[in-house]
Amino acid sequence: MTKSDVTRRGVLKSGAVAGAGVALPTIFTASSAAAYTNEPTGGSVTLGFNVPQTGPYADEGNDELLAQQLAVEHLNGEGDGGCLNTFTSKALKGNGILGKKVEFVTGDTQTKSDAARASAKSMIEKDGAIMINGGSSSGVAVAVQGLCQEAGVIFMAGLTHANDTTGKDKKANGFRHFFNAYMSGAALAPVLAAEMGKERRAYHLTADYNWGWTQEESIVASTEAMGWETVNTVKTPLASTDFSSYIAPVLNSGADVLVLNHYGGNMVNSLTNAIQFGLLDKVVNNKDFKIVVPLYSELMAAGAGENIKGVLGSMNWNWQLQDEGTKAFVKSFGEKYGKPPSNSAQTCYAQVLLYADACERAGTFNPCGVAEALEGFEFDGLGNGKTLYRADDHQCFKDVLVVRGALNPTNAYDTLEIVEVTPVEQVTYAPDHPMFAGGDLGKCNPGA
C-alpha cells in the first residue's frame, strides 16, 4: 500500500466524522523547526482535494476530482502532459513539484461549510496537505479559505462564483481562478437587452446563501441599468428539491422573465418545475415569457435535458472552445474518462497547475513565496485565453462566455452553444467596487 492509498483512506474516514456534523476546533500546530505549515521533508508533497462528493452539487464535485487527479498525473510526468505543453509558463517539467512526487488526499464537503472545514482541517493536520483545492459552493469556499488562512496553507478555490470570495471575504492565502457574479451580470446584460429588449419585468428565485445573494444583486444591478424592472426577489433553501410552490406565484406577478439564481441540482429541479408550469408557453405584457440561468455548467445542462433549449446564461469556460489550452485539456480528459470536462473540472485542473507552477517559480512551498509568485501573474495556455491573477484581491481576470441551451444538440455533451466570448475589459472592475467592498486581504500567513 502506497502513502497515497493510506492518506486517501484516512481522509475519507475523517470525512465521515465531518459528515456526522462534528465540527473540530480550528487549532493548528507546526513544528518549531519548520519554516511553514507542513513543510515537505521527504520525497513527496501532499495536496488536499476538498470537493462535494455527496449533496446537491455532487456531480460538479466528482468532475472536479477527476480533473484534480489528472493534474497530478501530468505533474508527475504521466499521460500526455495535457496543458503542461500549452501553458505559457515553462517552469513545470513533469517531475512533480520542486522535484517531489505529488500525492493527494480527498475530502467530501457535502456542500456544507462545517463539513468542508472539518475535512480540510483533517487533510492539513493529519495528512500533511500543503495546499487545499476544490469546492463547488461559495459558502464552502469562504469557510475553507478562512480556515486555510488560519492554518498557513494556500487555498486554490474551485467552483466559487459569489463576489464575496474575492470581495469582503478575501484572504491573502486564497486565490480564485473562476469568474464571479459581477462578471456574469456584466457579460449577460448586453446580450439579454439585444435578444429580449430593454423593457422587461424580472422575477428572481435565489439560492439562500452567499452565492445566490451576490448573483441576484449583480443581475438586478446590470439588468436595471439597461431598463429592466425587478418585480420580486424570493430566496429558496439550498436543500429544496421541489420548487413548485415558488414557481406558482410567478404566474400572477406580472413578470415576463424568470431569473433562476440556482446551481447544480437546484437549477435542474427549478427549471423543470418552471417548464411543467408552462412558463415558456406564455405571453405576458405582450412578450414571450423567458427564463435566464445566470450561471451555467455542462452537467446542469445535461441534467435539465430538453428544458434547457434556448435558455441564456454565462460560463467560465466551455470544452468547445478552440484555443490550444482547451484542446489539450479536453483531449487528455476525454481519453482518460470518455467524456468532455465541465467548467468546474477545468478551473480545478488549472488551479492545481497554477499552484505547482508558482512553487517552481518561487523555488519554495512556503505559502508566502507561492502567494507572491501568483500575485500579478499573467499567463495563457490553460484554456481561458490571456489571464491575470490580480494582486489586489487574488481574482483572475479573463474573457467570460455567454451561452445558450442548444436548440439542436447532436449528442449528450453539446447541450450548450457559445453565443459570445465577452472580452475581459467588459467584465473588469476596480478593486474597491461597492459589490466587493468591506474586506481586507491582509497578510500571508505561513503558519509556523
Side-chain angles (χ1 to χ4, degrees):
M1 182 179 294
T2 67
K3 178 185 175 183
S4 290
D5 294 329
V6 174
T7 51
R8 287 180 211 175
R9 183 173 298 175
V11 167
L12 292 174
K13 182 177 180 180
S14 60
V17 174
V22 178
L24 302 176
T26 55
I27 299 173
F28 297 94
T29 59
S31 166
S32 59
Y36 49 91
T37 300
N38 292 337
E39 179 178 3
T41 56
S44 65
V45 59
T46 301
L47 309 182
F49 298 148
N50 206 26
V51 302
Q53 299 177 54
T54 58
Y57 296 170
D59 286 348
E60 304 289 339
N62 289 322
D63 220 44
E64 287 178 330
L65 189 55
L66 295 180
Q68 291 161 332
Q69 293 170 342
L70 184 63
V72 169
E73 289 185 11
H74 290 167
L75 290 174
N76 286 331
E78 301 168 12
D80 62 8
C83 287
L84 267 66
N85 301 312
T86 58
F87 192 13
T88 50
S89 174
K90 299 304 179 184
L92 297 172
K93 305 300 183 185
N95 62 342
I97 306 176
L98 294 174
K100 296 182 183 292
K101 182 180 180 182
V102 182
E103 299 184 338
F104 67 90
V105 291
T106 69
D108 181 6
T109 70
Q110 305 171 47
T111 320
K112 297 176 181 177
S113 297
D114 287 347
R117 282 178 64 94
S119 59
K121 183 177 186 296
S122 175
M123 286 188 279
I124 294 167
E125 288 199 335
K126 296 182 179 179
D127 303 303
I130 198 165
M131 181 273 276
I132 302 295
N133 168 246
S136 293
S137 153
S138 291
V140 162
V142 167
V144 174
Q145 180 167 261
L147 177 108
C148 289
Q149 181 70 33
E150 299 169 19
V153 301
I154 290 291
F155 175 60
M156 300 295 284
L159 195 163
T160 168
H161 191 244
N163 294 335
D164 295 349
T165 307
T166 46
K168 71 179 184 64
D169 296 308
K170 59 182 173 286
K171 301 294 182 187
N173 284 45
F175 291 82
R176 169 162 62 180
H177 172 266
F178 207 70
F179 73 146
N180 58 45
Y182 173 90
M183 295 175 178
S184 285
L188 273 172
V191 177
L192 295 177
E195 297 208 4
M196 300 181 191
K198 296 183 178 181
E199 296 181 359
R200 283 282 184 167
R201 306 186 77 223
Y203 192 111
H204 289 249
L205 293 182
T206 301
D208 194 12
Y209 74 106
N210 65 343
W211 168 68
W213 307 331
T214 63
Q215 179 65 89
E216 176 188 286
E217 177 188 28
S218 299
I219 297 296
V220 165
S222 63
T223 55
E224 288 186 351
M226 69 185 189
W228 284 25
E229 176 187 349
T230 303
V231 174
N232 201 2
T233 58
V234 177
K235 306 299 186 289
T236 61
L238 184 59
S240 296
T241 56
D242 185 346
F243 293 87
S244 300
S245 63
Y246 296 100
I247 300 292
V250 179
L251 298 169
N252 300 313
S253 68
D256 46 46
V257 177
L258 174 61
V259 181
L260 294 175
N261 299 303
H262 289 156
Y263 195 74
N266 286 166
M267 191 287 291
V268 172
N269 292 329
S270 62
L271 179 61
T272 299
N273 290 153
I275 299 300
Q276 290 170 342
F277 273 81
L279 289 185
L280 289 181
D281 299 324
K282 298 188 178 300
V283 176
V284 181
N285 305 323
N286 296 315
K287 301 178 179 70
D288 291 337
F289 197 97
K290 298 293 185 182
I291 297 175
V292 177
V293 176
L295 179 60
Y296 255 136
S297 84
E298 301 86 346
L299 300 173
M300 287 161 48
E306 292 280 320
N307 297 334
I308 210 72
K309 288 187 175 182
V311 176
L312 287 167
S314 67
M315 293 183 75
N316 184 67
W317 173 87
N318 182 273
W319 69 271
Q320 297 171 91
L321 290 169
Q322 291 302 303
D323 61 277
E324 293 306 311
T326 291
K327 289 191 288 187
F329 177 52
V330 170
K331 177 178 180 292
S332 293
F333 193 97
E335 288 178 352
K336 184 171 179 64
Y337 301 117
K339 62 176 184 177
S342 65
N343 74 157
S344 56
Q346 186 264 347
T347 204
C348 282
Y349 177 86
Q351 285 282 70
V352 175
L353 264 56
L354 285 164
Y355 170 79
D357 173 77
C359 291
E360 292 284 353
R361 289 187 292 110
T364 182
F365 292 103
N366 186 312
C368 297
V370 174
E372 185 176 349
L374 285 169
E375 290 177 339
F377 181 49
E378 296 181 80
F379 61 92
D380 201 343
L382 295 183
N384 296 97
K386 293 181 179 179
T387 304
L388 166 69
Y389 239 131
R390 189 162 70 178
D392 303 84
D393 49 14
H394 296 181
Q395 171 68 53
C396 270
F397 286 83
K398 54 196 182 310
D399 296 345
V400 169
L401 306 183
V402 175
V403 298
R404 184 198 328 268
L407 297 177
N408 298 294
T410 59
N411 58 58
Y413 302 111
D414 69 347
T415 51
L416 295 173
E417 59 187 28
I418 298 172
V419 176
E420 175 184 281
V421 179
T422 304
V424 63
E425 294 80 10
Q426 186 176 319
V427 301
T428 298
Y429 52 88
D432 61 352
H433 188 284
M435 288 188 186
F436 297 84
D440 180 16
L441 193 65
K443 295 181 179 180
C444 173
N445 176 25

